[in-house]
Amino acid sequence: MPSPVRSQPSFLSPSTLRRRLPLIGAVCIFAFASSAFYSSLTNSRSKFGGQSPATGMEGSTSTVPSIVVYVTVPSKEAGKKLAESIVKEKLAACVNRVPGIESVYQWKGEIQTDSEELLIIKTRQSLLEALTEHVKANHEYETPEVISLPIAGGNLKYLEWIKDSTQD
């Protein structure tokens, strides 16, 4: 007779969940930012009264269009070095380092799985090109990830801080 106690699926085990939690958080951040972006595109005229959806603040002239940029790096040391150089050059106001992500991707016809660190970079939209060039020049990957999402709104003081902490 089968046991009435069901075993827990391996993908729900505590050790698996602990390893996957940073990745789950990064996916949630990406999903939230993506939904905010698409929502701002479809509702920008009515929602913002003709104002820029980049700040989400009517009549605000103390901020600039801002973005969040994702960059993955192969190690903690590479992430620390790149994050510090980005902030030192005032290409971003802040870089969050999210350790322990696992990336699965296809590269040169092969499926790859690598442990990485995710950099979440907050900066001005106008600095994206310079930031991308800096990452390409200071990254060990042949084709580093650099993707951006617009910041559609938020704490006005924080958005002002992004402006004040980055290059003009």
Side-chain angles (χ1 to χ4, degrees), residues 78-148:
K80 184 174 180 3
K81 183 178 176 184
L82 186 57
E84 288 176 354
S85 70
I86 289 168
V87 173
K88 182 179 180 184
E89 294 295 321
K90 293 189 163 224
L91 293 170
C94 177
V95 179
N96 301 115
R97 296 175 41 228
V98 182
I101 68 165
E102 185 174 86
S103 296
V104 179
Y105 55 97
Q106 188 172 36
W107 185 250
K108 297 185 179 181
E110 299 285 327
I111 299 295
Q112 306 288 325
T113 301
D114 289 314
S115 294
E116 295 183 298
E117 183 168 285
L118 175 64
L119 304 183
I120 304 172
I121 304 165
K122 279 76 70 172
T123 190
R124 298 173 181 227
Q125 170 67 46
S126 62
L127 292 174
L128 179 58
E129 187 176 333
L131 175 62
T132 301
E133 291 307 313
H134 180 86
V135 169
K136 287 166 47 179
N138 293 283
H139 203 291
E140 61 188 75
Y141 289 170
E142 181 180 334
T143 306
E145 171 188 2
V146 181
I147 58 172
S148 71

Side-chain angles (χ1 to χ4, degrees), residues 18-60:
R18 276 194 303 276
R19 287 193 322 266
R20 299 287 186 236
L21 202 52
L23 179 59
I24 293 167
V27 169
C28 289
I29 290 168
F30 182 75
F32 176 75
S34 295
S35 68
F37 170 68
Y38 289 114
S39 174
S40 72
L41 283 179
T42 58
N43 299 323
S44 64
R45 289 184 190 256
S46 61
K47 184 176 179 182
F48 297 106
Q51 298 299 315
S52 168
T55 63
M57 308 292 172
E58 288 192 37
S60 173

